[in-house]
Structures are given as structure tokens and as C-alpha cells.
Amino acid sequence: MDLKYIINQYFPSKRVSDVSIFGNGHINSTYKVKLDGISQEYILQRINTNVFTSPNDLIQNHLKIQSHLYSQKQNIEVPELVGRNSKSHLYIDEDGEAWRMMNFIKDSYSIEVLENENQAFEAGKGYGWFLGACSQLDTSEFKEAIKDFHKLSNRINQLNDAIKSNVVNRLVSVQDIIDFYLKRVKSLLEIEKLIGNSEIPLRVVHNDTKINNLLFKDEKAIAVIDLDTVGPGVVLNDFGDAVRTLTNTAAEDEQNLELVNFNIEAFESFAKGYLQQTRSILNQKEKELLFKSPILMTYIMGIRFLADFLNGDIYYKTNFDNHNLVRSLVQKRLIEQMEQNQDKMKQIIKDIN
Ligand code: ADP
Ligand code: GN1
Ligand code: MG
């Protein structure tokens, strides 16, 4: 694959001065692009079409968000897609790979592990702003990029399929971890019922609010990125997944589990920022259940990593043999610690409300 050739499809009259692998995403392949004589930099991405089978849907969803949010910028923004000669925004190369280009958010950086509580508050404001800004959009306008993405029963079925198939013979090594997760299914499925009967409403949500999908500049949240999964979902997905990643004192794939601890101060700061932006939008039931969502989302990620480990690492990018297993163990440890802190988390949300 000739990256310069692909960049040329977007900027036919420009010379590429630099293109390099960038970021830490688990799904797409991301490159930072510099062009001669232009200070604006760009992000080029190869969309993972094993995961996103209809890349054009992603483009359409992104354009919808981009044009809607353009009028609502509040020092926070989303990246803008670059069109090809005012034609399509998507480029399909000769091998059938799907590409897109967007502006690099100037002077920005993403973080993997929270460094201070102000970042948690800023993350709350950033993702809260996103929910608020999307609140006038109708869920029916969006294509669901991955069906039943955060539906627990769907993820349980996938784990059970992986257990049954045991394609790479890894089952015996993880039986106790499977037991840990399966023991908790029943109580977590209660939340799915509330979603099913619309007590928890469907909204346009981000659906992938890990901390590195937010960009900072000078310690302020300035952009929400990775819009691939934006579409129908519930607020618990966004609140819970952000808490999962930013309250973890270590990396999502930390091998020394003793370093993995739940930071309740970060939880409180995030919740303050989030509710500052969304208090007037959320209903009573949503607010009441926020405190439970981190366990739900950490659980969902924990079983997704575990299923991928059992399936032979076919979904997430991995860098070492047991990478997905390590990720799942990190989620397990976080769940244990969140369980111990449930009462405190409930009280914190109540006090902020
Ligand atoms: P993935 O879907 O694989 O997670 P992302 O869209 O999240 O890919 O991009 C991976 C990383 O690249 C992000 O965590 C961020 O650090 C960086 N990044 C992506 N888009 C931009 C952008 N428009 N401006 C600046 N950095 C970006
Ligand atoms: C993936 O794309 P990225 O790295 O931001 C995944 C999320 C998981 C996350 C776990 C489309 O997110 O659902 O929470 O990894 N995205 C998709 O780190 O599956
Ligand atoms: Mg990402």
C-alpha cells in the first residue's frame, strides 16, 4: 500500500512532507500527514472493514454529526472529514481497503492513563457536551455501525459461542475467569430490561468514550473524536465506558494487576463535569442508574476481550500472546474494586444531582 498515493487522492496538487503511524486505537490504522507549505496537519485512516462492514455508513454518520455540531461549538469540536475533489469522502483503493481523511486537531494530545483529576472533570465536560449537543438529533437518522454493540445479552452470546468453539484450545486456561464473569450476568441483565422497556431512553450517543477518544489542549478537553460508533444507544454506555477507562490507575493492558486500581476521586470529578453538561437533559431513572453503568461497561469490555482471546485474537489489535487475556483481567480487577465502591459511587451521584 502506497500511502502517498492514497493521500494524493485527497490532495492531488500537494506534496507530502511526512506521513507516520499515529495514536493507539485498537481498530483502525491511523497516520498523521504533513503537507508541504501547509500548517494544517491531517489524519489519514484505513477503516477496519472486518469490524465496520459498511464504511460509507460511517462517513454518512460522521458528516451528519459534523454539520450538526458545527453550529454548537463551545470550545469543543469534532474533526472534519476532508472530501476528495469535492466528490466522495471515502476512498476505496485497488485492494478494496477503505480510507478517509480528516483534519488533525491542532496542538492536541490524547491521554491513555489519567494524570490528574482536572483531566477527569474536563473529560466529563467534553463527553457531556457531546451528549447534549446530539440531544436534538433523532436516532433514526443514524446507521448502527455495529449491531447490538453494547447489548449485554449479545455479548454474552458471543462469549458462549467462543467457549463452545474453543478454536485455539485456550479454554482450560481461563475457566476461573469465565466463572467470575458468568456469575454476574443475571444481575447485570436487569439493566437491559430497563432499556428494553424504555425507562432508559435511546439517544444519539458516542458509544466509544474511552479516555483516548477525547483530545486535550493545555489541559482542556477540546475535541471528541472516533465517531465510528455514534448512533442509537443509552447514556449509560457513554458514562460507564468513560469511567471504566479514566478511573483505572493503570493502562487497559497493564500486566502487573496490582497497579490496576479504581480511582474514586476521578469518578467524582468526571461525574461533576458530565452532569454539569447533562443534568437538564437526563431523566430521573438515567441519573439514578449512572452509578451502576461503570460496572456494566467494564463487564462488557471484559467479556469482549475474553471472547476475542478464546477466538484466537481476531478482533482487537494485539501486541503479545496473551494481550486480550491481560485486558480482560484488568477489567475483572476493576469490576471487583467498583463493586466494593458501589455505595460510595451511588452517594456521589446523588450529591452532585
Ligand atoms: P481507532 O478507531 O482505531 O481507535 P481513533 O479514531 O480513535 O482510531 O484514532 C486513534 C488515535 O489517533 C486517537 O486516540 C488520537 O490519539 C489520534 N487521533 C485520531 N483522530 C485525530 C484527530 N482528528 N486529531 C488529532 N488526533 C487524532
Ligand atoms: C475499541 O477503537 P477504539 O480503540 O477507540 C472498541 C471499543 C472498546 C475499546 C477497548 C469499534 O475502541 O468498543 O471499548 O476498543 N471499538 C470497537 O479499548 O469495537
Ligand atoms: Mg479510538
Side-chain angles (χ1 to χ4, degrees), residues 65-74 76 129 133 136:
I65 296 280
Q66 170 177 319
S67 63
H68 176 71
L69 298 193
Y70 191 72
S71 57
Q72 313 217 9
K73 282 189 192 177
Q74 280 181 357
I76 307 185
W129 162 80
Q136 305 97 338

Side-chain angles (χ1 to χ4, degrees), residues 61 64-65 68-69 127 130-142 201-207 229-235 237-238 274:
N61 286 349
K64 211 159 274 165
I65 296 280
H68 176 71
L69 298 193
Y127 281 133
F130 188 86
L131 188 95
C134 290
S135 63
Q136 305 97 338
L137 290 167
D138 199 303
T139 53
S140 64
E141 290 178 53
F142 286 82
L202 270 192
R203 301 177 176 281
V204 174
V205 301
H206 185 283
N207 275 325
T229 51
V230 172
V234 295
V235 65
N237 303 348
D238 283 6
Y274 200 82

Side-chain angles (χ1 to χ4, degrees), residues 25 208 210 212-213 226:
D208 192 359
K210 58 196 242 194
N212 72 6
N213 286 332
D226 202 346

Side-chain angles (χ1 to χ4, degrees), residues 291-308:
F291 83 99
K292 280 193 179 174
S293 65
I295 290 189
L296 174 66
M297 292 307 291
T298 310
Y299 183 96
I300 286 176
M301 297 313 154
I303 62 173
R304 286 178 64 193
F305 291 138
L306 190 56
D308 199 31

